[in-house]
Amino acid sequence: MIHCVVYVIDACKVSLLTTNMLDKFAAIRKKTNQLGLPQILLLTKVEEACPLVAEDLKNVYRSVYIEKKARELSDSLGIPLSCVLPVKNYSGELDLDLETDILLFSAVQQMLNYTDSFFENQLPCTISFTCLKPSTEKHIEPQQRAAHIITFSPAGVFGPSIMSVVTSSLSKEQQKKLLSLFSHPRLHLLYKATVHGFTAAAAFHSRCDQQGPTVIVAYSAAGFVFGAYTSKDYTQNGQAIMDKEAFLYSIPAEGDKPLRVAGISGQCAFTDGATGPNYGALVFLHGDKAEFQSNPGTSFNFQAAEMHGNDLNLTEFEVYRVENLGDLLPKPWRNIQWTAERKQQLMKTIQSYKSEIKTVHQARVLLVGPVGAGKSSFFNSINSAFRGNMTCQAIAGTGNKSVTTQFRTYNIKAGKGGVPLPLILCDTMGLEEKADAGLDMEDLVSVYKGHVKDRYQSLQSLLADAPGYKQRVTLNDMIHCVVYVIDACKVSLLTTNMLDKFAAIRKKTNQLGLPQILLLTKIDEACPLVAEDLKNVYRSVYIEKKAREVSDSLGIPLSCVLPVKNYSGELDLDLETDILLFSAVQQMLNYADSFFENQVIEDQDQLDLYRSNEHLRPVGSEETKHQIV
């Protein structure tokens, strides 16, 4: 059997991948995910793609271009950035090279680590503890096998059909200059005309209305990058909108300081109509075409040549929502010890955990959240932190469809071949916008009550007589704590449909008496100050704001909202990341204890409720009749 799949793509041809080729990759990914095979992507010919890397291979992870191509591939193929590995193959050399070898060996090491993830998924679900009878089934240890790895790569010449990826057209330097116009901003791309269309009503207003402060980024045929900012909503009310904070701007090709033009005193900033954005002096999407009108002196005054070069044709038009990230708080709103000693203490606490009920050896925690929030990545991160190297036992992705199609229960081991932790993380398919898509409420209840077997392929319409339905369940099979997982970058983008789904889930979960926690993931992507130093997480005004916002939206106490960072693009473990992850796990176990304490044992017969029919009994225990729930 194949144990790991490796996709191989030329870094020079990432932008030339055709729709047909991407469709082929998507079909391969879908089938590979269904088979539970871990996947890696090799980005080859990095030295040909970037002259700075050709000059010095050690620049590979400092190259803006290589990072851009890696992220572009990650988005196009739905493969996590952590699984994209730039390498340089030997081509015209006669002698070996140290840097080339290190990149190649690092890639092979990741393949073997990911192969281990596949082998761990082949182990039986029954876990042996010191107080349980050992399994009689023999298994070949992963290190005794030869790992089988298969590679896929495009062949031949790429065709002319290009697959568009919705990403910003701003260069790094242009982004820097645009951000300099604001105080600690975060930009969210809402609309891109070459993807969504140069139409006002169907494209612009459908994506940009009621979004709060926004900034327009227009790209003229003359090579100018310019636009407009407003702190007000677009609502199509037909009125003249006053906005003292509004301004026009133009980013020069040379120099550090963008041109910034404030509004004329006493005049409106823009007309809030059903057409394209009308700022008087600049009217965008004129006639639903890739054009704009220039009328200096109306609301704003500027020199046309300096603003846009007098070419009224657009090559691109984007709109971003602008969020003020704020600065750092004087004091953190939670105190965390960022030391190696604290990490070891957390690991020891987790490994030595024992539930309030002696016959329950592992707390079961279910991860629930929208597609792409980071549920599977959270398990992989915890697993990696305890293993000591990067793993991908749970299949993760970056698309808008759920990569997880099975109900999975994952054991975590302390080191390769180590003892399982007293924790089982359960993963299922993500929540989707449509009412009839994604995880179903009735199926979720079946998961809560322990009726769904591990590896059941689909939770849609699960009936009591279905092969994946477990009739006899005990407390060992039930979920003991529910963890909601939400992307910190998308808290403000949660739709009414998604919030309604969460409300329904919360209501049912509360009825069953299950404790709940919320993980706020991707905090480093949400706040640059946190990306710069993870220890700023509890000093970040923005992260605190998002934590309070999601607390209010979902009705979850702020004390139950835990910011975390999953491993995404890293190849090595990080102390601060591990501390946040382990702190979250510790809280899950504490909350699971709350669930166990609420379970009242009324008589001796009910003790069997706490003994799973799929777990081996302690050595020497007497046979008793199972209580069915």
Side-chain angles (χ1 to χ4, degrees):
M1 293 176 64
I2 297 300
H3 308 137
C4 180
V5 175
V6 178
Y7 306 109
V8 184
I9 294 182
D10 183 344
C12 304
K13 298 179 179 178
V14 171
S15 300
L16 301 178
L17 288 171
T18 64
T19 303
N20 289 340
M21 185 60 69
L22 289 171
D23 287 345
K24 281 193 174 184
F25 271 116
I28 293 172
R29 281 268 295 155
K30 181 178 180 181
K31 181 58 69 175
T32 308
N33 288 338
Q34 289 173 351
L35 294 174
L37 286 165
Q39 298 151 72
I40 287 175
L41 190 148
L42 295 185
L43 193 62
T44 61
K45 303 185 181 179
V46 290
E47 78 286 1
E48 296 180 23
C50 178
L52 294 174
V53 176
E55 182 180 319
D56 186 348
L57 195 57
K58 293 193 292 291
N59 288 331
V60 64
Y61 284 112
R62 294 189 63 195
S63 166
V64 172
Y65 184 79
I66 295 300
E67 183 198 28
K68 179 182 177 182
K69 293 296 121 178
R71 291 186 182 277
E72 188 177 332
L73 264 181
S74 173
D75 293 338
S76 299
L77 272 63
I79 291 178
L81 186 61
S82 59
C83 300
V84 180
L85 307 177
V87 295
K88 174 188 180 299
N89 293 332
Y90 285 110
S91 53
E93 302 85 351
L94 294 179
D95 299 311
L96 296 177
D97 171 72
L98 176 64
E99 286 80 18
T100 301
D101 287 352
I102 288 174
L103 281 183
L104 291 170
F105 293 160
S106 296
V108 173
Q109 181 185 43
Q110 287 302 98
M111 294 176 198
L112 294 176
N113 289 343
Y114 280 33
T115 296
D116 271 347
S117 300
F118 174 79
F119 291 140
E120 287 176 359
N121 279 336
Q122 311 312 305
L123 296 177
C125 298
T126 300
I127 303 298
S128 296
F129 292 87
T130 54
C131 62
L132 305 182
K133 293 179 181 178
S135 173
T136 57
E137 187 176 353
K138 293 182 179 180
H139 297 277
I140 301 174
E141 291 299 320
Q143 59 265 32
Q144 294 175 323
R145 305 176 179 177
H148 289 189
I149 299 172
I150 189 170
T151 60
F152 289 103
S153 62
V157 180
F158 293 94
S161 175
I162 306 299
M163 176 69 173
S164 296
V165 178
V166 186
T167 56
S168 173
S169 294
L170 289 167
S171 68
K172 290 284 186 181
E173 189 61 29
Q174 289 168 341
Q175 288 181 37
K176 182 179 179 181
K177 292 176 180 178
L178 178 59
L179 293 174
S180 71
L181 295 169
F182 307 95
S183 175
H184 298 296
R186 174 175 174 79
L187 303 182
H188 302 263
L189 181 58
L190 300 173
Y191 164 68
K192 189 178 182 72
T194 55
V195 175
H196 302 124
F198 284 89
T199 56
F204 168 75
H205 283 294
S206 65
R207 290 173 173 82
C208 302
D209 283 1
Q210 303 287 353
Q211 291 292 334
T214 53
V215 62
I216 289 168
V217 180
Y219 304 76
S220 76
F224 282 72
V225 178
F226 63 104
Y229 167 79
T230 178
S231 65
K232 306 295 185 180
D233 279 321
Y234 294 112
T235 63
Q236 302 183 61
N237 62 18
Q239 298 179 5
I241 304 299
M242 304 298 293
D243 183 6
K244 293 182 179 180
E245 297 180 36
F247 61 83
L248 305 184
Y249 71 92
S250 182
I251 297 175
E254 297 180 0
D256 295 329
K257 193 173 181 180
L259 171 68
R260 188 181 189 278
V261 179
I264 298 174
S265 179
Q267 295 191 24
C268 72
F270 67 96
T271 302
D272 190 17
T275 60
N278 182 353
Y279 284 79
L282 292 175
V283 182
F284 299 99
L285 303 181
H286 179 58
D288 284 347
K289 297 179 181 178
E291 300 174 359
F292 67 97
Q293 287 183 326
S294 180
N295 311 300
T298 306
S299 296
F300 299 86
N301 202 9
F302 54 81
Q303 297 295 320
E306 188 180 14
M307 176 64 70
H308 50 66
N310 281 318
D311 190 326
L312 303 183
N313 295 305
L314 296 175
T315 58
E316 183 61 275
F317 182 81
E318 299 171 337
V319 179
Y320 297 81
R321 182 161 55 83
V322 182
E323 284 190 273
N324 184 7
L325 298 181
D327 211 330
L328 293 176
L329 296 167
K331 293 182 179 181
W333 52 286
R334 280 182 189 154
N335 292 315
I336 296 286
Q337 298 177 30
W338 303 99
T339 63
E341 290 77 17
R342 177 55 178 166
K343 175 184 172 180
Q344 292 300 319
Q345 182 184 23
L346 287 168
M347 291 182 71
K348 183 177 179 181
T349 299
I350 293 168
Q351 289 174 280
S352 61
Y353 168 80
K354 294 181 180 180
S355 76
E356 288 291 314
I357 299 173
K358 295 181 179 179
T359 53
V360 178
H361 301 286
Q362 290 176 292
R364 282 182 173 249
V365 175
L366 179 67
L367 305 175
V368 178
V371 173
K375 301 186 305 299
S376 299
S377 296
F378 176 74
F379 163 74
N380 286 335
S381 297
I382 295 294
N383 200 35
S384 298
F386 272 101
R387 278 286 299 268
N389 58 259
M390 294 302 168
T391 66
C392 72
Q393 191 173 343
I395 303 298
T398 61
N400 57 5
K401 290 289 184 182
S402 182
V403 175
T404 304
T405 58
Q406 295 178 323
F407 171 69
R408 287 305 321 269
T409 60
Y410 293 108
N411 285 283
I412 303 166
K413 294 181 179 179
K416 185 174 180 178
V419 176
L421 299 183
L423 170 72
I424 295 177
L425 289 178
C426 304
D427 191 16
T428 189
M429 66 192 310
L431 301 176
E432 297 187 26
E433 292 289 337
K434 296 180 180 179
D436 58 347
L439 187 61
D440 179 76
M441 176 60 69
E442 294 303 319
D443 297 328
L444 184 60
V445 173
S446 295
V447 172
Y448 284 169
K449 295 183 176 180
H451 289 298
V452 181
K453 294 181 179 179
D454 183 33
R455 299 176 187 269
Y456 186 65
Q457 180 63 35
S458 174
L459 297 182
Q460 294 292 328
S461 302
L462 180 62
L463 302 176
D465 58 350
Y469 191 91
K470 187 189 303 180
Q471 295 282 354
R472 298 168 61 87
V473 296
T474 66
L475 192 61
N476 275 301
D477 306 299
M478 298 177 186
I479 297 300
H480 308 136
C481 178
V482 176
V483 175
Y484 305 113
V485 184
I486 293 182
D487 182 345
C489 304
K490 298 180 179 178
V491 171
S492 301
L493 302 178
L494 289 172
T495 64
T496 302
N497 288 343
M498 186 59 71
L499 289 173
D500 288 344
K501 280 196 172 184
F502 270 115
I505 292 171
R506 283 268 295 151
K507 182 178 180 180
K508 181 59 68 174
T509 309
N510 287 337
Q511 289 173 351
L512 294 174
L514 286 166
Q516 298 150 71
I517 288 175
L518 190 146
L519 295 184
L520 198 60
T521 61
K522 305 185 183 180
I523 52 175
D524 54 319
E525 297 179 25
C527 179
L529 295 173
V530 176
E532 183 180 318
D533 187 350
L534 196 58
K535 294 192 292 292
N536 287 331
V537 59
Y538 286 116
R539 291 190 62 200
S540 165
V541 171
Y542 184 76
I543 295 301
E544 184 194 29
K545 176 185 174 183
K546 292 294 119 179
R548 292 185 182 279
E549 186 177 335
V550 78
S551 170
D552 293 339
S553 298
L554 272 65
I556 291 178
L558 184 61
S559 60
C560 300
V561 179
L562 307 176
V564 295
K565 176 190 179 302
N566 292 334
Y567 285 111
S568 55
E570 302 87 350
L571 295 179
D572 297 309
L573 298 176
D574 171 73
L575 176 65
E576 286 81 19
T577 301
D578 288 351
I579 288 174
L580 280 184
L581 291 169
F582 292 158
S583 297
V585 172
Q586 183 186 42
Q587 287 300 98
M588 294 175 195
L589 295 175
N590 290 341
Y591 278 42
D593 267 347
S594 300
F595 175 78
F596 293 134
E597 288 172 0
N598 284 334
Q599 309 307 305
V600 179
I601 304 175
E602 296 179 352
D603 52 48
Q604 183 63 34
D605 289 339
Q606 201 172 7
L607 280 173
D608 283 333
L609 177 64
Y610 309 126
R611 214 173 268 130
S612 172
N613 54 354
E614 290 200 357
H615 286 68
L616 295 172
R617 297 180 182 277
V619 176
S621 66
E622 296 181 0
E623 292 293 327
T624 55
K625 184 179 179 181
H626 279 281
Q627 174 75 30
I628 307 302
V629 297

